[in-house]
Amino acid sequence: MGKGRGPGSGVRGPGSGDEAQPERGRRPRVAVLALQGDYEAHARALVEHGIVAHQARTVADLDGIDGLVLPGGESTTMLKLMEGTGLADRVRELAATGTPLLATCAGVILIAREVGNPPQPSLGILDVKVERNAYGRQAESTVTTLTVEDTAELGDAPLEGVFIRAPRIVAPGPAVEVLARRSADPVLVRQGRVLAATFHPELSARSAVIGLFAAMTGGRR
Amino acid sequence: MHFESPEFRVKVGLAEMLKGGVIMDVTDAAQAKIAEDAGAAAVMALERVPADIRAEGGVARMAAIDKIEEIMRTVSIPVMAKCRIGHIAEAKVLEQLGVDFIDESEVLTPADEENHVWKHDCKVPFVCGCRNLGEALRRITEGAAMMRTKGEAGSGNIVEAVRHLRAVRREMRRLGTLDEAELIPAAKELQAPFELVRYVAEHGKLPVPNFAAGGVATPADAVLCMMLGAESVFVGSGIFKSEDPARRGQAIVKAVTHWQDPAVVLEVSRGLEGAMSGLDIAKLTPEEMLSRRGW
């Protein structure tokens, strides 16, 4: 709490990092799916990396984007709100054509291959099985330090994980790289241009996870 | 201030996850299932919906444990439950039971007319009601991780929710126009700690999410709350006292997500059966106003 002012307050120039830009001098545009959940926290975090973030509620809101965030919240609510809107197909298409995608918590449940506890439909973008609420109810929610597997990507500063009624990745497929763990459990994974965290980097101050995603979209790390 | 502690951050974290969603009052597992299927972001377990508490009278207490457990077993979304204002023991029982959020609520009969629960002593997050900014900041000082404007529960009448939302927003805006010296008398007036008053003056918002409650009966009522700065909406009697709970629930969920798009609100408002019948607030005596409980 208490970090930064509100969304949109950071008026900044173009990204100055050494990452590839979408177009020289243009700031990357990233959509945050805003059906329900902590989409504002995500938008705030992205702005700190020189990204222009907007809330997306319809298929048209996903036009011309350099990246997409599927935030935390309630996956059952989001699924219900996606029904009959064409959003599911459009998100699949964006992932298939290489648009960088960041999914956190409920977002990971949405894009998983398979969901358990209880089973529910999912988009089948990320080759993992996910167990919902696997660590228990809110009493088990916690802030902890993660074990980073890939310091080249995430740096060697301690990486914080904020877990809220978190799901667990139980069966990552062969194309899924594990970037960080909580004890033995994979909690941050990457498959191509899809980055997925069962925790909430958007609720940590300047998380390296948001930095990594920002770099994938052409923003500042 | 306590906002940086990991304990408080995970409490507010769950409140963040509920934003842009609808939290529905339910009294049993069957209603909870209907709410979840309609797209509720969470359910609130209570023994009677506010309209029935109002009609039947008597002492309203924490819901029966077996009912809450049955609801927790039935749905995968967060389950909240209400305890009476100042009833520390009910709060501890609900925490032990493992509910995801406790609502220290004016809808139940207060157990303490002076003191609220010191919510820092519980690991479970709390939501509390407020009618104005001062009340909100006192509850946050006690450890509330989420606020909701009170409105008038069980009335089916949105007028009190509007009054309270506008009061909070107006007072926050006013703080933004004051300098630091002027914030001292402002804190005195609001009867709230200076540090929190300064936080609001600097950020233009509460340090925890602010939702709306009390009197929401239609999709347009819910949208009105969002327009006035609510970040999510609690619907109590409005769903299960209507003639079409499943459909109305779903309509309110969609309306809250798309509150900025009147075309969607129009679409979901079509073809709904009767809303709950409401009360004229002006005809309630002060003793009948649930929102006057707590301070």
Side-chain angles (χ1 to χ4, degrees), chain A residues 1-6 34-41 44 55 57-58 71-74 76-77 80-81 83 85 105 117-118 120 132-133 136-143 160 162-165 200 202-205, chain B residues 3-4 6 8-14 16-21 36-42 72 75-79 98-101 123-125 199 202-203 205-208 226 231 250 253-254 257-260:
Chain A
M1 296 302 302
K3 62 181 164 75
R5 287 202 145 210
L35 298 174
Q36 192 275 320
D38 75 332
Y39 44 85
E40 281 175 357
R44 269 199 301 275
Q55 299 180 1
R57 295 180 173 85
T58 65
E74 282 309 313
T76 53
T77 304
K80 194 83 205 165
L81 286 161
E83 270 176 22
T85 62
C105 198
N117 188 38
Q120 67 185 37
R132 292 182 60 206
N133 300 323
R137 308 189 71 96
Q138 173 64 10
E140 266 55 64
S141 293
T142 186
V143 180
E160 180 183 82
V162 179
F163 291 86
I164 314 275
R165 286 172 47 97
H200 293 282
E202 73 279 13
L203 298 183
S204 293
Chain B
F3 305 137
E4 302 295 336
F8 196 70
R9 286 175 62 208
V10 295
K11 290 177 178 179
V12 174
L14 181 55
E16 290 283 339
M17 297 311 142
L18 297 171
K19 280 187 178 176
E36 182 173 56
D37 289 346
M72 288 166 68
V75 296
S76 63
I77 54 179
V79 175
V99 300
D100 298 293
F101 236 103
K123 197 165 181 249
V124 58
Y199 179 96
E202 276 175 12
H203 295 82
K205 60 197 278 301
L206 295 178
V208 304
M226 298 299 281
E231 296 175 293
Q250 210 175 331
V253 168
K254 274 196 189 155
T257 292
H258 297 282
W259 66 274
Q260 289 144 302

Side-chain angles (χ1 to χ4, degrees), chain B:
Chain B
M1 283 193 287
H2 57 270
F3 305 137
E4 302 295 336
S5 80
E7 294 77 19
F8 196 70
R9 286 175 62 208
V10 295
K11 290 177 178 179
V12 174
L14 181 55
E16 290 283 339
M17 297 311 142
L18 297 171
K19 280 187 178 176
V22 178
I23 300 154
M24 301 186 191
D25 277 2
V26 298
T27 56
D28 58 34
Q31 287 187 353
K33 187 74 187 116
I34 292 171
E36 182 173 56
D37 289 346
V43 290
M44 172 77 70
L46 70 179
E47 63 168 357
R48 293 175 281 170
V49 293
D52 288 336
I53 292 174
R54 204 179 264 295
E56 293 162 15
V59 174
R61 310 179 180 91
M62 168 179 82
I65 298 302
D66 300 347
K67 284 279 182 201
I68 304 173
E69 273 183 323
E70 180 189 296
I71 291 165
M72 288 166 68
R73 274 197 306 272
T74 303
V75 296
S76 63
I77 54 179
V79 175
M80 304 185 172
K82 288 183 192 287
C83 78
R84 285 177 261 179
I85 290 175
H87 207 311
I88 308 162
E90 280 187 353
K92 284 288 174 191
V93 168
L94 291 173
E95 176 176 47
Q96 191 63 36
L97 180 58
V99 300
D100 298 293
F101 236 103
I102 296 177
D103 183 0
E104 186 183 15
S105 177
E106 70 283 359
V107 168
L108 306 185
T109 311
D112 190 324
E113 293 186 337
E114 286 174 26
N115 309 289
H116 285 69
V117 173
W118 184 251
K119 292 163 272 286
H120 294 292
D121 287 346
C122 291
K123 197 165 181 249
V124 58
F126 278 74
V127 53
C128 289
C130 67
R131 279 165 299 174
N132 52 52
L133 183 59
E135 195 172 7
L137 297 182
R138 289 190 289 277
R139 297 294 86 76
I140 295 167
T141 305
E142 293 160 358
M146 181 204 292
M147 291 309 304
R148 55 171 177 76
T149 44
K150 286 178 178 172
E152 188 57 29
S155 71
N157 189 335
I158 201 66
V159 66
E160 292 300 306
V162 168
R163 195 189 317 281
H164 302 156
L165 280 164
R166 282 203 183 268
V168 170
R169 194 169 70 160
R170 186 170 56 242
E171 288 160 351
M172 290 199 296
R173 281 183 182 153
R174 189 179 80 88
L175 290 185
T177 67
L178 305 181
D179 67 28
E180 286 201 319
E182 292 168 327
L183 290 177
I184 294 284
K188 180 184 167 198
E189 237 173 78
L190 289 167
Q191 300 181 28
F194 173 73
E195 283 305 323
L196 280 179
V197 170
R198 184 159 68 180
Y199 179 96
V200 173
E202 276 175 12
H203 295 82
K205 60 197 278 301
L206 295 178
V208 304
N210 187 31
F211 296 3
V216 175
T218 67
D221 285 346
V223 169
L224 177 57
C225 294
M226 298 299 281
M227 287 174 163
L228 294 175
E231 296 175 293
S232 222
V233 178
F234 286 82
V235 187
S237 318
I239 290 176
F240 289 101
K241 282 288 160 190
S242 76
E243 290 168 24
D244 53 355
R247 183 139 183 229
R248 183 167 296 264
Q250 210 175 331
I252 293 176
V253 168
K254 274 196 189 155
V256 166
T257 292
H258 297 282
W259 66 274
Q260 289 144 302
D261 186 349
V264 175
V265 183
L266 166 65
E267 191 50 40
V268 302
S269 301
R270 277 210 171 95
L272 292 178
E273 308 286 325
M276 71 177 284
S277 70
L279 298 173
D280 182 351
I281 299 290
K283 296 205 172 113
L284 297 179
T285 64
E287 292 72 37
E288 288 171 327
M289 297 276 287
L290 302 179
S291 57
R292 300 204 177 197
R293 295 166 167 182
W295 61 282

